[in-house]
Amino acid sequence: MRIDEILKRKRTLSFEVFPPKKAETETEQLFETIRELKKLSPDFISVTYGASGSNARNSAEIAGFIKSEGIEPLAHVTGGPSSPDEIDAVAEKLKALGVENVLALRGDKPSDYAENYCKYFKHATDLQEYLKKYAFTLGGACYPEGHAECQTLYADLENLKKKEECGAKFFITQIFYDNAYYYRLVSEARRIGIVAPIIPGIMPITHPKNIARIKSMCGSTIPIELRNMLEIYSDNPVLTREAGINYAVYQIMDLIAKGAPGVHLYIMNRADTAFEIYERLNNFFNELF
Ligand code: FAD
């Protein structure tokens, strides 16, 4: 089912998973996680796609598995590292597996940034144009604090508008820890005429070590109160995890109260994280999703 159609009917709960590094040994474990997640009746589960394109095959297989479990998959596809032939191969595989929804991305530039990166698909919009012949329902990424390569949030928003004009029917945000960035993104997007639903992406920080990783990976601002809690209890993994989960729960409650169209949870392939959040917000999910 098309995700934009689901969004017209209801508020969505969704999860992101990623293909495991050791495809041979860990994929079955991920399948078990997906079977567990099914108990929470997600509206869709998205599967990431490696920046290098290296796990493209596994990514499509996981999307196919999600579909076979009766859950709607959202397959990420990145144009930056890929040639048109590679995109055709993945798109055809996804079609054959019955995948209808694709999150069209440029992809993170790899650390060993090669000259050929983005040779064929400079931006997500180029990939969107190319994918049109496959008639997927396309989504795109957006950035509450602005994309790192863009001079201003407003320049980034103009590019987001291009994604919508190129056929993106919904957006999922980069992770953020201060909801004010999300509200600003949504109100500025609406001001310049972007109409597609913007689903907030939430990732609980469950260990102080993750703060530095999140900063370098996504550049997201970590509010001082969250940083303090994680650092004060840094020698107690149970307390830091609880603090991080509860902070995410607070973010979600606030987002729902202010009308967010859904919640996309970055759960790092951990079903227990999804369950802990779900249990704390049982009534919210039952009544408002
Ligand atoms: P683009 O839309 O191409 O944007 C990149 C930069 O170019 C931005 O600064 C933008 O403002 C600018 N820009 C965009 N369009 C144009 C245009 N037409 N003309 C001029 N400038 C333009 N990475 C992965 O490798 N695999 C994944 O599976 C993955 N999943 C993600 C899921 C979500 C929800 C998010 C938020 C990010 C994900 N990423 C993933 C990371 C993403 O690939 C990086 O953030 C990447 O740097 C940008 O991707 P994009 O699709 O937003 O690129």
Side-chain angles (χ1 to χ4, degrees), residues 130-258:
Y130 192 78
L131 285 173
K132 275 186 180 159
K133 59 184 172 178
Y134 292 101
F136 291 114
T137 297
L138 297 180
C142 62
Y143 302 85
E145 299 186 51
H147 186 264
E149 291 162 35
C150 234
Q151 294 284 330
T152 65
L153 174 72
Y154 297 95
D156 201 28
L157 276 165
E158 288 301 333
N159 291 328
L160 191 65
K161 196 167 180 194
K162 290 180 197 159
K163 287 190 198 182
E164 183 168 87
E165 286 160 0
C166 264
K169 301 286 186 213
F170 61 93
F171 295 108
I172 301 180
T173 75
Q174 183 59 280
I175 55 178
F176 58 88
Y177 294 92
D178 180 345
N179 289 359
Y181 289 117
Y182 171 80
Y183 301 132
R184 179 184 63 170
L185 173 81
V186 175
S187 75
E188 292 304 309
R190 301 300 176 234
R191 192 177 58 78
I192 64 166
I194 296 170
V195 297
I198 299 176
I199 305 173
I202 299 292
M203 183 169 97
I205 307 186
T206 50
H207 197 286
K209 266 201 302 206
N210 297 346
I211 294 177
R213 232 184 74 231
I214 286 163
K215 273 283 301 158
S216 70
M217 259 172 46
C218 329
S220 311
T221 303
I222 315 283
I224 187 74
E225 61 269 40
L226 175 59
R227 176 185 285 270
N228 273 348
M229 281 189 291
L230 295 169
E231 286 177 352
I232 286 167
Y233 305 121
S234 61
D235 57 351
N236 186 327
V238 175
L239 294 188
T240 43
R241 184 169 170 81
E242 194 158 302
I245 297 273
N246 281 332
Y247 189 89
V249 165
Y250 169 77
Q251 279 191 281
I252 295 167
M253 286 190 304
D254 183 59
L255 288 161
I256 299 312
K258 295 196 175 97

Side-chain angles (χ1 to χ4, degrees), residues 49 76 105-108 123-125 143 147 150 156 159 163:
Y49 187 100
H76 298 201
L105 299 146
R106 183 198 69 188
D108 271 326
H123 289 294
T125 42
Y143 302 85
H147 186 264
C150 234
D156 201 28
N159 291 328
K163 287 190 198 182

Side-chain angles (χ1 to χ4, degrees), residues 55 99 124 151 193 208 218 268 278:
N55 61 12
V99 175
Q151 294 284 330
C218 329
M268 304 304 287
Y278 196 95

